[in-house]
Amino acid sequence: QAPLSQVLREFELIQREQREANGCTERREWWERRSRLDLRMKSLIQSLDSEVLGCWRGLLLPRDPGNAPLDEQELSRLLRELRECGWDSP
């Protein structure tokens, strides 16, 4: 599992390299750098989702302001994900 500190460090590196890429004047090189950074960002987000947040990512689900904090579908999904992580009792 990737601890949060590793994820944050990678995010900082991606941001630094993005700033460097912004200074690139050659169009092809800029796109190549941007594509590599996009792939790294995708991997970082997936790592954050699966390895840092884990089953708790369900708490970040968007909700309709007119509904209760968690509607039935969201609650069902959250409970399922919590059980997959080994949590038995609501």
Coordinates of all heavy atoms in Angstrom, one line a residue:
Q1 N 0.8 -1.2 0.0 CA 0.0 0.0 0.0 C 0.9 1.3 0.0 O 1.9 1.3 0.6 CB -0.9 0.0 1.2 CG -2.0 -1.0 1.2 CD -3.0 -0.9 2.3 OE1 -2.7 -0.2 3.3 NE2 -4.1 -1.5 2.2
A2 N 0.4 2.3 -0.7 CA 1.1 3.5 -0.8 C 0.6 4.4 0.4 O -0.5 4.8 0.4 CB 0.9 4.2 -2.1
P3 N 1.5 4.8 1.3 CA 1.1 5.7 2.3 C 0.8 7.1 1.7 O 1.3 7.4 0.6 CB 2.2 5.8 3.3 CG 3.4 5.2 2.6 CD 2.9 4.4 1.5
L4 N 0.0 7.9 2.4 CA -0.4 9.2 2.0 C 0.9 10.1 1.6 O 0.9 10.8 0.7 CB -1.3 9.9 3.0 CG -1.8 11.2 2.6 CD1 -2.6 11.2 1.3 CD2 -2.7 11.8 3.8
S5 N 1.9 9.9 2.4 CA 3.1 10.8 2.2 C 3.7 10.5 0.8 O 4.2 11.4 0.1 CB 4.1 10.6 3.3 OG 4.6 9.2 3.3
Q6 N 3.7 9.2 0.4 CA 4.2 8.9 -1.0 C 3.3 9.5 -2.1 O 3.8 10.0 -3.1 CB 4.3 7.4 -1.2 CG 5.5 6.8 -0.4 CD 5.5 5.3 -0.6 OE1 4.5 4.6 -0.8 NE2 6.7 4.7 -0.6
V7 N 2.0 9.4 -1.9 CA 1.1 10.0 -2.8 C 1.3 11.5 -2.9 O 1.4 12.1 -4.0 CB -0.3 9.6 -2.5 CG1 -1.3 10.4 -3.3 CG2 -0.6 8.2 -2.6
L8 N 1.4 12.2 -1.8 CA 1.6 13.6 -1.8 C 3.0 14.0 -2.4 O 3.1 15.0 -3.2 CB 1.5 14.2 -0.4 CG 0.1 14.1 0.2 CD1 0.2 14.6 1.7 CD2 -0.9 14.9 -0.6
R9 N 4.0 13.2 -2.2 CA 5.3 13.5 -2.8 C 5.3 13.4 -4.3 O 5.8 14.2 -5.0 CB 6.4 12.5 -2.2 CG 7.8 12.9 -2.5 CD 8.8 12.1 -1.8 NE 8.5 10.8 -1.3 CZ 8.2 10.5 0.0 NH1 8.2 11.4 0.9 NH2 7.9 9.3 0.4
E10 N 4.6 12.3 -4.8 CA 4.4 12.1 -6.2 C 3.6 13.3 -6.8 O 4.0 13.8 -7.9 CB 3.8 10.8 -6.5 CG 3.4 10.6 -8.0 CD 4.6 10.4 -8.9 OE1 5.8 10.5 -8.5 OE2 4.4 10.3 -10.2
F11 N 2.6 13.7 -6.1 CA 1.8 14.9 -6.6 C 2.7 16.1 -6.7 O 2.6 16.9 -7.7 CB 0.6 15.1 -5.7 CG -0.3 16.2 -6.2 CD1 -1.0 16.1 -7.4 CD2 -0.5 17.3 -5.4 CE1 -1.8 17.1 -7.8 CE2 -1.3 18.3 -5.8 CZ -2.0 18.2 -7.0
E12 N 3.5 16.4 -5.8 CA 4.4 17.5 -5.8 C 5.4 17.4 -7.0 O 5.6 18.4 -7.7 CB 5.2 17.7 -4.5 CG 4.3 18.1 -3.3 CD 5.1 18.1 -2.0 OE1 6.4 18.0 -2.1 OE2 4.5 18.3 -1.0
L13 N 5.9 16.2 -7.3 CA 6.8 16.0 -8.4 C 6.1 16.3 -9.7 O 6.6 16.9 -10.6 CB 7.4 14.6 -8.4 CG 8.4 14.3 -7.3 CD1 8.8 12.8 -7.3 CD2 9.7 15.2 -7.5
I14 N 4.8 15.8 -9.8 CA 4.1 16.0 -11.0 C 3.8 17.5 -11.3 O 4.0 18.0 -12.4 CB 2.7 15.2 -11.0 CG1 3.0 13.7 -11.1 CG2 1.8 15.7 -12.1 CD1 1.8 12.8 -10.8
Q15 N 3.5 18.2 -10.2 CA 3.3 19.7 -10.3 C 4.5 20.4 -10.7 O 4.5 21.3 -11.6 CB 2.8 20.2 -9.0 CG 1.3 19.9 -8.7 CD 0.9 20.5 -7.4 OE1 1.6 20.4 -6.4 NE2 -0.3 21.1 -7.4
R16 N 5.7 20.0 -10.2 CA 6.9 20.6 -10.5 C 7.3 20.4 -12.0 O 7.6 21.3 -12.7 CB 8.1 20.1 -9.6 CG 9.4 20.8 -9.9 CD 10.5 20.3 -9.0 NE 10.1 20.2 -7.6 CZ 10.4 19.1 -6.9 NH1 11.1 18.1 -7.3 NH2 10.1 19.1 -5.6
E17 N 7.1 19.1 -12.4 CA 7.4 18.8 -13.8 C 6.4 19.5 -14.8 O 6.8 19.8 -15.9 CB 7.4 17.3 -14.0 CG 8.6 16.7 -13.3 CD 8.6 15.2 -13.5 OE1 8.2 14.6 -14.5 OE2 9.1 14.5 -12.5
Q18 N 5.2 19.7 -14.3 CA 4.2 20.4 -15.1 C 4.6 21.9 -15.3 O 4.5 22.4 -16.4 CB 2.8 20.4 -14.5 CG 1.8 21.3 -15.2 CD 1.6 20.9 -16.7 OE1 1.5 19.7 -17.0 NE2 1.5 21.9 -17.5
R19 N 5.1 22.5 -14.3 CA 5.6 23.9 -14.4 C 6.8 24.0 -15.4 O 6.9 24.9 -16.2 CB 6.0 24.4 -13.0 CG 4.8 24.8 -12.2 CD 5.2 25.5 -10.9 NE 6.0 24.7 -10.0 CZ 5.5 23.9 -9.0 NH1 4.2 23.8 -8.9 NH2 6.3 23.3 -8.2
E20 N 7.7 23.0 -15.3 CA 8.8 22.9 -16.2 C 8.3 22.7 -17.7 O 8.8 23.3 -18.6 CB 9.8 21.8 -15.8 CG 10.5 22.0 -14.5 CD 11.3 20.8 -14.1 OE1 11.3 19.8 -14.8 OE2 11.8 20.8 -13.0
A21 N 7.3 21.8 -17.8 CA 6.8 21.6 -19.2 C 6.1 22.8 -19.7 O 6.1 23.0 -21.0 CB 5.8 20.4 -19.1
N22 N 5.5 23.6 -18.9 CA 4.9 24.9 -19.4 C 5.9 25.8 -20.0 O 5.5 26.6 -20.9 CB 4.1 25.6 -18.2 CG 2.9 24.9 -17.9 OD1 2.3 24.1 -18.6 ND2 2.4 25.2 -16.7
G23 N 7.1 25.7 -19.7 CA 8.2 26.6 -20.3 C 8.7 26.0 -21.6 O 9.5 26.7 -22.3
C24 N 8.3 24.9 -22.0 CA 8.7 24.2 -23.2 C 8.1 24.9 -24.4 O 6.9 25.1 -24.5 CB 8.3 22.8 -23.2 SG 8.9 21.9 -24.6
T25 N 8.9 25.3 -25.4 CA 8.4 26.1 -26.5 C 8.2 25.2 -27.7 O 7.4 25.6 -28.6 CB 9.4 27.2 -26.9 OG1 10.7 26.6 -27.2 CG2 9.5 28.2 -25.8
E26 N 8.7 24.0 -27.7 CA 8.5 23.1 -28.8 C 7.2 22.3 -28.6 O 7.0 21.6 -27.6 CB 9.7 22.1 -29.0 CG 9.5 21.2 -30.2 CD 10.6 20.2 -30.3 OE1 11.8 20.5 -29.9 OE2 10.3 19.1 -30.8
R27 N 6.3 22.4 -29.5 CA 4.9 21.9 -29.4 C 4.9 20.4 -29.2 O 4.3 19.9 -28.3 CB 4.1 22.2 -30.6 CG 2.7 21.9 -30.5 CD 2.0 22.4 -31.7 NE 0.6 22.4 -31.5 CZ -0.3 22.8 -32.3 NH1 0.0 23.3 -33.5 NH2 -1.6 22.8 -32.0
R28 N 5.7 19.7 -30.0 CA 5.7 18.2 -29.9 C 6.3 17.7 -28.5 O 5.7 16.9 -27.9 CB 6.6 17.6 -31.0 CG 6.6 16.1 -30.9 CD 7.4 15.5 -32.1 NE 7.6 14.1 -31.9 CZ 7.9 13.3 -32.8 NH1 8.0 13.7 -34.1 NH2 8.0 12.0 -32.6
E29 N 7.3 18.3 -28.1 CA 7.9 18.0 -26.8 C 6.9 18.3 -25.6 O 6.8 17.5 -24.7 CB 9.2 18.8 -26.5 CG 9.9 18.4 -25.2 CD 11.2 19.1 -25.0 OE1 11.7 19.8 -25.9 OE2 11.7 19.1 -23.8
W30 N 6.2 19.5 -25.7 CA 5.2 19.8 -24.7 C 4.2 18.8 -24.6 O 3.8 18.3 -23.5 CB 4.6 21.2 -25.0 CG 3.7 21.6 -24.0 CD1 4.0 22.4 -22.9 CD2 2.3 21.3 -23.8 NE1 2.9 22.6 -22.1 CE2 1.8 22.0 -22.7 CE3 1.4 20.6 -24.6 CZ2 0.5 21.9 -22.2 CZ3 0.0 20.5 -24.2 CH2 -0.4 21.2 -23.0
W31 N 3.6 18.3 -25.8 CA 2.6 17.3 -25.8 C 3.1 15.9 -25.2 O 2.4 15.2 -24.5 CB 2.0 17.1 -27.2 CG 0.9 18.1 -27.5 CD1 1.0 19.1 -28.3 CD2 -0.4 18.2 -26.9 NE1 -0.1 19.9 -28.3 CE2 -1.0 19.4 -27.4 CE3 -1.0 17.5 -25.9 CZ2 -2.3 19.8 -27.1 CZ3 -2.3 17.9 -25.6 CH2 -2.9 19.0 -26.1
E32 N 4.3 15.6 -25.6 CA 4.9 14.3 -25.0 C 5.0 14.4 -23.5 O 4.6 13.5 -22.8 CB 6.2 14.1 -25.7 CG 6.1 13.6 -27.1 CD 7.5 13.5 -27.8 OE1 8.5 13.9 -27.2 OE2 7.5 13.1 -29.0
R33 N 5.5 15.5 -23.0 CA 5.6 15.7 -21.6 C 4.2 15.7 -20.9 O 4.0 15.0 -19.9 CB 6.3 17.0 -21.2 CG 7.8 17.0 -21.4 CD 8.3 18.4 -21.0 NE 9.7 18.4 -21.0 CZ 10.4 19.4 -20.5 NH1 9.8 20.4 -19.9 NH2 11.7 19.4 -20.5
R34 N 3.3 16.4 -21.5 CA 1.9 16.5 -21.0 C 1.3 15.1 -20.9 O 0.6 14.7 -19.9 CB 1.1 17.4 -21.9 CG -0.3 17.7 -21.4 CD -0.3 18.5 -20.2 NE -0.8 17.6 -19.1 CZ -0.6 17.8 -17.8 NH1 -0.1 18.9 -17.4 NH2 -1.1 16.9 -17.0
S35 N 1.5 14.3 -22.0 CA 0.9 12.9 -22.0 C 1.5 12.0 -20.9 O 0.8 11.3 -20.2 CB 1.2 12.3 -23.4 OG 0.5 12.9 -24.4
R36 N 2.8 12.1 -20.7 CA 3.5 11.4 -19.6 C 3.0 11.8 -18.3 O 2.7 11.0 -17.4 CB 5.0 11.5 -19.7 CG 5.6 10.7 -20.8 CD 7.1 10.6 -20.7 NE 7.8 11.9 -20.6 CZ 8.3 12.6 -21.7 NH1 8.2 12.1 -22.9 NH2 8.9 13.8 -21.5
L37 N 2.8 13.1 -18.1 CA 2.3 13.6 -16.8 C 0.9 13.2 -16.6 O 0.5 12.9 -15.5 CB 2.5 15.1 -16.7 CG 3.9 15.6 -16.6 CD1 3.9 17.2 -16.8 CD2 4.5 15.3 -15.2
D38 N 0.1 13.2 -17.6 CA -1.3 12.7 -17.5 C -1.4 11.3 -17.1 O -2.2 10.9 -16.2 CB -2.1 12.9 -18.8 CG -2.4 14.4 -19.1 OD1 -2.2 15.2 -18.2 OD2 -2.8 14.6 -20.3
L39 N -0.5 10.4 -17.6 CA -0.5 9.0 -17.2 C -0.1 8.9 -15.8 O -0.7 8.1 -15.0 CB 0.4 8.2 -18.1 CG -0.1 8.0 -19.6 CD1 1.0 7.3 -20.4 CD2 -1.4 7.2 -19.6
R40 N 0.9 9.6 -15.4 CA 1.3 9.6 -14.0 C 0.2 10.1 -13.0 O 0.0 9.5 -12.0 CB 2.6 10.4 -13.8 CG 3.8 9.8 -14.3 CD 5.1 10.6 -14.2 NE 5.4 11.0 -12.8 CZ 6.3 11.9 -12.5 NH1 6.9 12.6 -13.4 NH2 6.5 12.2 -11.2
M41 N -0.5 11.1 -13.5 CA -1.6 11.6 -12.6 C -2.7 10.6 -12.5 O -3.3 10.4 -11.5 CB -2.1 12.9 -13.2 CG -3.0 13.7 -12.3 SD -2.1 14.3 -10.9 CE -3.4 14.7 -9.8
K42 N -3.0 9.9 -13.6 CA -4.0 8.9 -13.6 C -3.6 7.8 -12.6 O -4.5 7.3 -11.8 CB -4.2 8.3 -15.0 CG -5.2 7.2 -15.1 CD -5.3 6.6 -16.5 CE -6.3 5.4 -16.5 NZ -6.4 4.8 -17.8
S43 N -2.4 7.3 -12.7 CA -1.9 6.3 -11.8 C -2.0 6.8 -10.3 O -2.3 6.0 -9.4 CB -0.5 6.0 -12.2 OG 0.1 5.0 -11.2
L44 N -1.6 8.0 -10.1 CA -1.7 8.6 -8.8 C -3.1 8.6 -8.2 O -3.3 8.3 -7.1 CB -1.1 10.0 -8.8 CG -1.1 10.8 -7.5 CD1 -0.1 10.2 -6.5 CD2 -0.8 12.3 -7.7
I45 N -4.0 9.0 -9.0 CA -5.4 9.1 -8.6 C -5.9 7.7 -8.3 O -6.6 7.4 -7.3 CB -6.3 9.7 -9.6 CG1 -6.0 11.2 -9.7 CG2 -7.8 9.5 -9.4 CD1 -6.6 12.0 -10.9
Q46 N -5.6 6.7 -9.1 CA -6.0 5.3 -8.9 C -5.4 4.8 -7.6 O -6.0 4.1 -6.8 CB -5.6 4.4 -10.0 CG -6.4 4.7 -11.3 CD -5.9 3.9 -12.5 OE1 -4.7 3.6 -12.6 NE2 -6.8 3.8 -13.5
S47 N -4.1 5.1 -7.3 CA -3.4 4.7 -6.1 C -4.1 5.4 -4.9 O -4.3 4.7 -3.9 CB -2.0 5.1 -6.2 OG -1.3 4.8 -5.0
L48 N -4.4 6.6 -5.0 CA -5.1 7.3 -3.9 C -6.4 6.7 -3.6 O -6.8 6.4 -2.4 CB -5.3 8.8 -4.3 CG -6.0 9.7 -3.2 CD1 -5.2 9.8 -2.0 CD2 -6.2 11.1 -3.8
D49 N -7.2 6.4 -4.7 CA -8.5 5.8 -4.5 C -8.4 4.4 -3.9 O -9.1 4.1 -2.9 CB -9.2 5.7 -5.9 CG -10.6 5.2 -5.8 OD1 -11.4 5.7 -5.0 OD2 -10.9 4.2 -6.6
S50 N -7.6 3.6 -4.4 CA -7.6 2.2 -3.9 C -6.7 1.9 -2.7 O -7.1 1.1 -1.8 CB -7.1 1.2 -5.0 OG -5.8 1.5 -5.4
E51 N -5.6 2.6 -2.6 CA -4.6 2.3 -1.5 C -4.6 3.2 -0.3 O -4.2 2.8 0.8 CB -3.2 2.2 -2.1 CG -3.1 1.1 -3.2 CD -1.7 1.1 -3.8 OE1 -0.8 1.6 -3.2 OE2 -1.7 0.5 -4.9
V52 N -5.0 4.4 -0.5 CA -5.1 5.4 0.6 C -6.5 5.5 1.2 O -6.7 5.3 2.3 CB -4.5 6.8 0.2 CG1 -4.7 7.8 1.3 CG2 -3.1 6.7 -0.3
L53 N -7.4 5.8 0.3 CA -8.8 5.9 0.8 C -9.5 4.6 1.0 O -10.2 4.4 2.0 CB -9.7 6.7 -0.3 CG -9.2 8.1 -0.5 CD1 -10.1 8.8 -1.6 CD2 -9.4 8.9 0.8
G54 N -9.2 3.6 0.2 CA -9.8 2.3 0.3 C -11.3 2.3 0.5 O -12.0 3.1 -0.3
C55 N -11.9 1.6 1.4 CA -13.3 1.6 1.5 C -13.9 2.9 2.0 O -15.1 3.1 1.8 CB -13.7 0.5 2.5 SG -13.1 0.6 4.1
W56 N -13.1 3.8 2.5 CA -13.6 5.1 3.0 C -13.9 6.0 1.9 O -14.5 7.1 2.2 CB -12.6 5.6 4.0 CG -12.4 4.7 5.2 CD1 -11.3 4.0 5.4 CD2 -13.3 4.4 6.2 NE1 -11.5 3.2 6.6 CE2 -12.7 3.5 7.1 CE3 -14.6 4.9 6.5 CZ2 -13.4 2.9 8.2 CZ3 -15.3 4.3 7.6 CH2 -14.6 3.4 8.4
R57 N -13.5 5.7 0.7 CA -13.8 6.6 -0.4 C -15.3 6.8 -0.6 O -15.8 7.8 -1.1 CB -13.2 6.1 -1.7 CG -13.7 4.9 -2.3 CD -12.9 4.5 -3.5 NE -13.4 3.2 -4.0 CZ -13.0 2.0 -3.7 NH1 -12.0 1.9 -2.8 NH2 -13.5 0.9 -4.2
G58 N -16.1 5.8 -0.1 CA -17.6 5.9 -0.2 C -18.1 7.2 0.6 O -19.1 7.7 0.2
L59 N -17.3 7.6 1.5 CA -17.8 8.8 2.3 C -17.7 10.1 1.4 O -18.2 11.1 1.8 CB -16.9 9.0 3.6 CG -17.1 7.9 4.6 CD1 -16.2 8.1 5.7 CD2 -18.6 7.9 5.1
L60 N -16.9 10.0 0.3 CA -16.7 11.2 -0.5 C -17.7 11.2 -1.7 O -17.6 12.1 -2.6 CB -15.3 11.2 -1.0 CG -14.2 11.2 0.0 CD1 -12.8 11.1 -0.6 CD2 -14.3 12.5 0.9
L61 N -18.6 10.3 -1.7 CA -19.6 10.3 -2.8 C -20.4 11.5 -2.8 O -20.8 12.1 -1.8 CB -20.6 9.1 -2.6 CG -20.0 7.7 -2.8 CD1 -21.0 6.6 -2.4 CD2 -19.6 7.5 -4.3
P62 N -20.6 12.1 -4.0 CA -21.5 13.3 -4.1 C -22.9 13.0 -3.7 O -23.4 11.9 -3.8 CB -21.4 13.7 -5.6 CG -21.0 12.5 -6.3 CD -20.2 11.6 -5.3
R63 N -23.6 14.0 -3.2 CA -25.0 13.8 -2.8 C -25.8 15.0 -3.2 O -25.3 16.1 -3.4 CB -25.1 13.6 -1.3 CG -24.7 14.7 -0.5 CD -25.0 14.5 1.0 NE -24.7 15.6 1.8 CZ -25.5 16.5 2.2 NH1 -26.8 16.5 1.8 NH2 -25.2 17.5 2.9
D64 N -27.1 14.8 -3.4 CA -28.0 15.8 -3.7 C -28.4 16.6 -2.4 O -28.7 16.0 -1.4 CB -29.3 15.2 -4.3 CG -30.4 16.2 -4.7 OD1 -30.2 17.4 -4.4 OD2 -31.4 15.8 -5.3
P65 N -28.2 17.9 -2.4 CA -28.4 18.7 -1.2 C -29.8 18.5 -0.6 O -30.1 18.7 0.6 CB -28.2 20.1 -1.6 CG -27.5 20.1 -2.9 CD -27.8 18.7 -3.5
G66 N -30.8 18.1 -1.5 CA -32.2 17.9 -1.0 C -32.4 16.6 -0.3 O -33.4 16.4 0.4
N67 N -31.5 15.7 -0.4 CA -31.6 14.4 0.2 C -30.9 14.3 1.6 O -30.1 15.2 2.0 CB -31.1 13.3 -0.7 CG -31.9 13.1 -1.9 OD1 -33.1 13.4 -1.9 ND2 -31.3 12.6 -2.9
A68 N -31.2 13.2 2.3 CA -30.5 12.9 3.5 C -29.0 12.8 3.2 O -28.6 12.6 2.0 CB -31.0 11.7 4.1
P69 N -28.1 12.9 4.2 CA -26.6 12.8 3.9 C -26.3 11.6 3.0 O -25.4 11.7 2.1 CB -26.0 12.6 5.3 CG -27.0 13.3 6.2 CD -28.3 13.1 5.6
L70 N -26.9 10.4 3.2 CA -26.7 9.3 2.3 C -28.0 8.7 1.9 O -28.8 8.4 2.8 CB -25.8 8.2 3.0 CG -24.4 8.5 3.2 CD1 -23.7 7.3 4.0 CD2 -23.6 8.7 1.9
D71 N -28.3 8.6 0.6 CA -29.6 8.0 0.2 C -29.4 6.5 0.3 O -28.3 6.0 0.6 CB -30.1 8.5 -1.1 CG -29.1 8.1 -2.3 OD1 -28.3 7.2 -2.2 OD2 -29.2 8.8 -3.3
E72 N -30.4 5.7 0.1 CA -30.4 4.3 0.2 C -29.3 3.6 -0.7 O -28.6 2.7 -0.3 CB -31.8 3.7 -0.1 CG -32.8 4.0 1.0 CD -32.4 3.4 2.4 OE1 -31.9 2.3 2.4 OE2 -32.6 4.1 3.4
Q73 N -29.2 4.1 -1.9 CA -28.2 3.5 -2.8 C -26.8 3.8 -2.4 O -26.0 2.9 -2.4 CB -28.5 4.1 -4.2 CG -27.6 3.5 -5.3 CD -27.8 4.1 -6.7 OE1 -28.5 5.0 -6.8 NE2 -27.3 3.5 -7.7
E74 N -26.5 5.0 -2.0 CA -25.2 5.4 -1.5 C -24.9 4.6 -0.2 O -23.8 4.1 0.0 CB -25.1 6.9 -1.2 CG -25.1 7.7 -2.5 CD -25.2 9.2 -2.2 OE1 -25.8 9.6 -1.2 OE2 -24.7 10.0 -3.0
L75 N -25.9 4.5 0.7 CA -25.6 3.8 1.9 C -25.4 2.3 1.7 O -24.4 1.7 2.3 CB -26.9 3.9 2.9 CG -26.8 3.2 4.2 CD1 -25.6 3.8 5.0 CD2 -28.1 3.4 5.0
S76 N -26.1 1.7 0.8 CA -25.9 0.3 0.4 C -24.5 0.1 -0.2 O -23.8 -0.8 0.2 CB -26.9 -0.1 -0.6 OG -26.7 -1.4 -1.1
R77 N -24.1 1.0 -1.0 CA -22.7 0.9 -1.6 C -21.7 1.1 -0.5 O -20.7 0.4 -0.5 CB -22.6 2.0 -2.7 CG -21.2 2.0 -3.4 CD -21.2 3.0 -4.5 NE -19.8 3.2 -4.9 CZ -19.4 4.1 -5.7 NH1 -20.2 5.0 -6.2 NH2 -18.1 4.2 -6.1
L78 N -21.8 2.1 0.3 CA -20.9 2.3 1.4 C -20.8 1.0 2.3 O -19.7 0.6 2.6 CB -21.2 3.5 2.2 CG -20.4 3.8 3.5 CD1 -18.9 4.0 3.1 CD2 -20.9 5.0 4.2
L79 N -21.9 0.5 2.7 CA -21.9 -0.7 3.6 C -21.2 -1.9 2.9 O -20.4 -2.6 3.5 CB -23.3 -1.1 4.0 CG -23.9 -0.1 5.0 CD1 -25.4 -0.5 5.3 CD2 -23.1 0.0 6.3
R80 N -21.5 -2.0 1.6 CA -20.8 -3.1 0.8 C -19.3 -3.0 0.8 O -18.6 -3.9 1.1 CB -21.4 -3.2 -0.6 CG -20.9 -4.3 -1.4 CD -21.4 -4.4 -2.8 NE -20.9 -3.3 -3.6 CZ -21.6 -2.2 -4.1 NH1 -22.9 -2.1 -3.9 NH2 -21.0 -1.3 -4.8
E81 N -18.9 -1.7 0.5 CA -17.4 -1.5 0.5 C -16.8 -1.6 1.9 O -15.7 -2.1 2.0 CB -17.1 -0.1 -0.1 CG -17.5 0.0 -1.6 CD -17.1 1.3 -2.2 OE1 -16.5 2.2 -1.5 OE2 -17.4 1.5 -3.4
L82 N -17.5 -1.2 2.9 CA -16.9 -1.4 4.3 C -16.8 -2.9 4.6 O -15.8 -3.3 5.2 CB -17.8 -0.7 5.3 CG -17.7 0.8 5.3 CD1 -18.8 1.4 6.2 CD2 -16.4 1.3 5.7
R83 N -17.8 -3.7 4.2 CA -17.7 -5.1 4.5 C -16.6 -5.8 3.7 O -15.9 -6.7 4.2 CB -19.1 -5.8 4.2 CG -20.2 -5.4 5.2 CD -21.5 -6.2 4.9 NE -22.5 -5.8 5.9 CZ -23.5 -5.1 5.6 NH1 -23.8 -4.7 4.4 NH2 -24.4 -4.7 6.6
E84 N -16.4 -5.3 2.5 CA -15.2 -5.8 1.7 C -13.9 -5.5 2.4 O -12.9 -6.3 2.2 CB -15.2 -5.2 0.3 CG -16.4 -5.7 -0.6 CD -16.4 -5.0 -1.9 OE1 -15.6 -4.1 -2.2 OE2 -17.4 -5.3 -2.7
C85 N -13.9 -4.5 3.2 CA -12.7 -4.1 3.9 C -12.6 -4.8 5.3 O -11.7 -4.6 6.1 CB -12.6 -2.6 4.2 SG -12.3 -1.7 2.6
G86 N -13.6 -5.7 5.6 CA -13.6 -6.4 6.8 C -14.4 -5.8 8.0 O -14.4 -6.3 9.1
W87 N -15.2 -4.8 7.7 CA -16.0 -4.2 8.8 C -17.4 -4.9 8.8 O -18.0 -4.9 7.8 CB -16.2 -2.7 8.4 CG -16.8 -1.9 9.5 CD1 -16.3 -1.7 10.8 CD2 -18.0 -1.2 9.5 NE1 -17.1 -0.8 11.5 CE2 -18.2 -0.5 10.7 CE3 -19.0 -1.1 8.5 CZ2 -19.3 0.2 11.0 CZ3 -20.1 -0.3 8.8 CH2 -20.3 0.3 10.0
D88 N -17.8 -5.4 9.9 CA -18.9 -6.2 10.0 C -20.2 -5.6 10.5 O -21.3 -5.9 10.1 CB -18.7 -7.5 10.9 CG -17.7 -8.4 10.2 OD1 -17.7 -8.5 9.0 OD2 -16.8 -9.0 11.0
S89 N -20.0 -4.6 11.5 CA -21.2 -4.1 12.2 C -21.4 -2.6 11.9 O -20.5 -1.8 12.2 CB -21.0 -4.4 13.7 OG -22.1 -3.8 14.4
P90 N -22.6 -2.3 11.4 CA -22.8 -0.8 11.2 C -23.0 -0.1 12.5 O -23.3 -0.6 13.5 CB -24.1 -0.8 10.4 CG -24.6 -2.1 10.2 CD -23.6 -3.1 10.8

